[in-house]
Amino acid sequence: MNKLLYILFRKGTDNIYLQFFRYIFVGGTSFLVDFAIYYSLITFFGVNYLISAVIAFLISVLWNYYTSTKWVFNQDEIGNRVLEFNLFIVISVIGLVFTEIFLFIFHNFLHIDYVWSKIIASVLVMFWNFAARRVMFYGSKFNKKIN
């Protein structure tokens, strides 16, 4: 059991399945931060649901960046941290645009409650974020270019 936990949570890996498992774990904690802020802004402060999504995104993306870089994709030394962070933000902002579009469609056209709209949008966008970060950001071809 200890060996399994070590492999799942501690050992560095390039295995896509293990990375996806870790990404789901990190994404889950990021989602909790994102959702708590989103829900709180709407419920307690009366902020518009689209604006709340942007604010929640900005806060949760910092947590996701740190944990994805250090733990999911095992990147201790990539080289240019400014470029690395900027690319992470670009990928995340594209995910945010997808989220905003999904929220607008689900809530305004399909009349799905803002809570369920956020959950559905988050699950859909998770696949974009993982694929983009793994292939475009943490892939070995890209790492060679910025080192």
Side-chain angles (χ1 to χ4, degrees), residues 70-106:
K70 293 293 185 185
W71 186 57
V72 175
F73 298 109
N74 307 307
Q75 298 295 317
D76 289 325
E77 282 301 320
I78 280 189
N80 186 337
R81 288 284 183 200
V82 173
L83 179 60
E84 171 190 330
F85 185 73
N86 287 333
L87 288 171
F88 190 92
I89 293 299
V90 166
I91 291 167
S92 297
V93 167
I94 292 168
L96 174 64
V97 169
F98 289 151
T99 299
E100 292 286 303
I101 291 168
F102 288 141
L103 285 174
F104 185 78
I105 291 169
F106 296 156

Side-chain angles (χ1 to χ4, degrees), residues 44-59:
F44 303 119
F45 300 101
V47 178
N48 176 277
Y49 72 99
L50 294 173
I51 294 170
S52 296
V54 172
I55 294 168
F57 159 82
L58 293 172
I59 295 168

Side-chain angles (χ1 to χ4, degrees), residues 1-7:
M1 183 64 163
N2 286 340
K3 185 174 182 175
L4 177 61
L5 291 175
Y6 174 75
I7 291 170

Side-chain angles (χ1 to χ4, degrees), residues 6-20 22-23 26 64-79 81 84 88 130 133-134 137-140 143 147:
Y6 174 75
I7 291 170
L8 289 176
F9 292 101
R10 300 281 303 184
K11 183 181 178 186
T13 184
D14 288 329
N15 181 294
I16 190 170
Y17 300 110
L18 188 52
Q19 286 179 340
F20 190 70
R22 290 177 181 179
Y23 187 79
V26 167
N64 195 293
Y65 168 77
Y66 178 77
T67 53
S68 290
T69 302
K70 293 293 185 185
W71 186 57
V72 175
F73 298 109
N74 307 307
Q75 298 295 317
D76 289 325
E77 282 301 320
I78 280 189
R81 288 284 183 200
E84 171 190 330
F88 190 92
F130 177 78
R133 289 176 184 157
R134 187 169 197 286
F137 186 68
Y138 296 106
S140 59
N143 286 341
N147 278 327

